[in-house]
């Protein structure tokens, strides 16, 4: 009898040990800290990565994603990428350079945003009268880049525009941009203007790039001081209004995200124009580690992250999420754009930026042609 009692106790003790081990393993799995993966991104994506809902999705996949911001050109040329698991610039050319330099096997392009112009109804009306803005016929309006370049080349000032009584500012008609030397949004604007200045063709040679850069340099140099980040001039647009920033080149996503949020920052009288032609800023993630690749995969494949990206104004492969938000907001944002051109490859674009940068340093900016 004692022997059987001993066997029973041994079995009970063994079962208790196994249960404790199983429970411990479960508790450990449930409380295991998510793996930290760091990335460097364009500033316009920071609100998305800071969104608690986005963080929660990543945490559900065992990841804690932290990001630093930098200009896309800086990410591709001067940022120390050794401490990051992924680089996420706002343009395909910058991402392609990073991929080549780092030997990455692939990239991810989970969302995009066309370049657009944040402005105001009185400015649209004045430029429509001047023949620079026209209706697309698709429910939104466009800024004709060729006619705008002609206007800039003549040194046209706001107070000299015919019938302009609503914005008689004594300064040149110029789009506000970021600093071409650091920021991708300015580089995308250069791509648009360069395409038109090159006879409606993508710049494909050093010779074309040098000539085009000299032609379009006043678009940037004549602005005076420019911010390094796209968020800064957009915040000026939202808070300081037409007097400070009558027109600013932005990513459509910046405007759309504020509109979709219903936070009141997009007020009556604020408008969005599209350059004709425009370019798509393809936000392209380059993985620099296994965990960085997982971030890219989730951004591209996870439906909840896609829905949240749309809420932040980005266009994804699943267009319905963005289109539904546009319909709900009653916003004049097109479901798709036709007049879209490609930017030059990284080397050609970098060559044009460097040419403009040289003019900045030398102080020998070309004068507008009267």
């Amino acid at each position: 009898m004692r022997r059987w009692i001993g066997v029973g106790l041994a079995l009970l003790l063994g079962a208790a040990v196994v249960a404790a081990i199983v429970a411990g393993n479960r508790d450990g799995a449930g409380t295991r800290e998510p793996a930290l993966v760091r990335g460097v991104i364009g500033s316009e994506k920071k609100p998305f990565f800071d969104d608690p809902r986005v963080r929660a999705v990543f945490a559900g996949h065992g990841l804690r994603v932290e990001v630093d911001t930098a200009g896309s050109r800086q990410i591709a040329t001067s940022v120390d990428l050794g401490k990051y698991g992924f680089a996420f610039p706002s343009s395909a050319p910058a991402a392609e350079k990073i991929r080549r330099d780092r030997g990455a096997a692939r990239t991810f392009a989970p969302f995009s945003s066309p370049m657009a112009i944040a402005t105001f109804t009185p400015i649209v009306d004045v430029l429509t009268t001047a023949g620079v803005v026209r209706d697309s016929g698709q429910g939104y309006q466009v800024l004709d880049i060729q006619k705008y370049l002609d206007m800039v080349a003549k040194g046209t000032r706001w107070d000299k525009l015919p019938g302009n009584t609503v914005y008689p500012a004594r300064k040149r008609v110029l789009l506000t941009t970021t600093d071409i030397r650091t920021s991708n949004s300015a580089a995308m604007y250069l791509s648009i203007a360069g395409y038109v200045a090159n006879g409606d063709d993508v710049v494909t040679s050093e010779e074309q790039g040098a000539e085009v850069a000299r032609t379009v340099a006043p678009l940037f140099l004549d602005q005076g001081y420019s911010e390094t980040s796209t968020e800064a001039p957009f915040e000026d647009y939202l808070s300081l209004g037409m007097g400070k920033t009558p027109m600013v080149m932005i990513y459509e996503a910046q405007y759309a995200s504020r509109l979709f949020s219903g936070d009141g920052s997009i007020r009556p009288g604020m408008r969005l124009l599209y350059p004709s032609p425009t370019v798509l800023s393809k936000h392209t993630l380059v993985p620099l580690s296994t965990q960085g690749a997982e971030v890219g995969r989730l951004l591209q494949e996870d439906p909840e992250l896609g829905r949240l990206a749309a809420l932040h104004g980005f266009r994804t492969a699943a267009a319905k999420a963005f289109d539904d938000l546009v319909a709900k907001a009653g916003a004049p944002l097109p479901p798709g754009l036709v007049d879209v051109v490609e930017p030059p490859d990284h080397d050609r674009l970098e060559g044009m930026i460097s040419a403009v940068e040289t003019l900045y340093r030398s102080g020998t900016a070309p004068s507008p042609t009267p």
Side-chain angles (χ1 to χ4, degrees):
M1 177 65 71
R2 288 180 181 176
R3 184 168 64 86
W4 287 111
I5 292 174
V7 170
L9 290 173
L11 290 173
L12 287 173
L13 180 60
V17 170
V18 170
I21 291 173
V22 171
N25 286 341
R26 286 176 177 170
D27 289 345
T31 60
R32 186 180 300 141
E33 284 293 317
L36 172 63
V37 55
R38 295 184 59 80
V40 57
I41 65 171
S43 63
E44 68 290 330
K45 292 186 286 292
K46 195 167 191 305
F48 170 79
F49 280 97
D50 286 346
D51 189 326
R53 295 167 295 183
V54 171
R55 291 179 178 273
V57 174
F58 280 127
H61 290 278
L63 297 174
R64 178 163 64 93
V65 180
E66 294 186 358
V67 294
D68 296 325
T69 61
S72 291
R73 189 188 183 209
Q74 292 174 307
I75 297 173
T77 59
S78 61
V79 169
D80 177 11
L81 297 179
K83 59 184 179 181
Y84 294 109
F86 65 91
F88 201 0
S90 305
S91 76
E96 178 57 22
K97 174 174 170 48
I98 297 167
R99 188 198 66 77
R100 291 198 317 259
D101 291 350
R102 305 290 297 192
R106 66 164 301 181
T107 60
F108 300 87
F111 36 73
S112 65
S113 181
M115 302 310 298
I117 300 160
T119 185
F120 301 87
T121 297
I123 299 298
V124 172
D125 292 344
V126 167
L127 293 178
T128 300
T129 300
V132 180
V133 169
R134 57 181 169 79
D135 192 84
S136 68
Q138 303 295 320
Y140 62 96
Q141 291 175 291
V142 299
L143 179 78
D144 188 307
I145 293 297
Q146 181 61 70
K147 292 180 179 179
Y148 168 71
L149 292 181
D150 294 341
M151 180 178 283
V152 173
K154 296 173 183 176
T156 305
R157 297 179 182 272
W158 287 104
D159 61 346
K160 301 302 181 183
L161 290 175
N164 178 13
T165 59
V166 293
Y167 189 70
R170 291 181 293 177
K171 57 184 179 181
R172 290 180 184 172
V173 178
L174 285 171
L175 275 163
T176 297
T177 72
T178 45
D179 193 326
I180 187 65
R181 296 167 291 184
T182 60
S183 174
N184 180 68
S185 62
M188 293 297 97
Y189 177 39
L190 175 62
S191 299
I192 295 167
Y195 180 91
V196 174
N198 195 44
D200 286 340
D201 209 353
V202 177
V203 171
T204 57
S205 71
E206 291 184 18
E207 294 74 19
Q208 289 176 343
E211 183 177 348
V212 164
R214 186 166 182 82
T215 300
V216 304
L219 300 178
F220 303 95
L221 275 61
D222 290 351
Q223 292 182 53
Y225 173 75
S226 297
E227 299 279 0
T228 59
S229 162
T230 313
E231 286 298 310
F234 185 58
E235 287 297 329
D236 283 349
Y237 165 80
L238 293 175
S239 60
L240 301 179
M242 188 168 65
K244 170 68 167 57
T245 313
M247 298 188 295
V248 58
M249 180 65 69
I250 64 168
Y251 301 103
E252 177 197 62
Q254 293 175 277
Y255 190 99
S257 64
R258 295 299 188 105
L259 193 64
F260 296 161
S261 72
D263 64 1
S265 58
I266 303 299
R267 301 183 298 278
M270 289 181 167
R271 299 281 292 279
L272 198 64
L273 294 173
Y274 291 86
S276 180
T278 190
V279 297
L280 285 179
S281 178
K282 298 175 184 176
H283 298 264
T284 306
L285 186 146
V286 183
L288 306 174
S289 70
T290 302
Q291 290 170 336
E294 181 64 2
V295 172
R297 185 191 71 79
L298 289 170
L299 287 172
Q300 194 158 283
E301 298 178 4
D302 186 275
E304 180 61 11
L305 286 176
R307 186 187 72 82
L308 292 170
L311 277 171
H312 282 271
F314 296 107
R315 295 176 183 250
T316 68
K320 187 176 185 302
F322 184 87
D323 293 345
D324 287 349
L325 289 167
V326 170
K328 182 178 178 181
L333 306 182
L337 292 163
V338 175
D339 195 7
V340 177
V341 299
E342 290 294 326
D345 67 29
H346 179 269
D347 293 342
R348 297 289 81 78
L349 185 56
E350 183 70 15
M352 289 195 291
I353 293 171
S354 296
V356 176
E357 187 174 13
T358 298
L359 293 170
Y360 266 111
R361 291 198 305 265
S362 67
T364 57
S367 300
T369 303

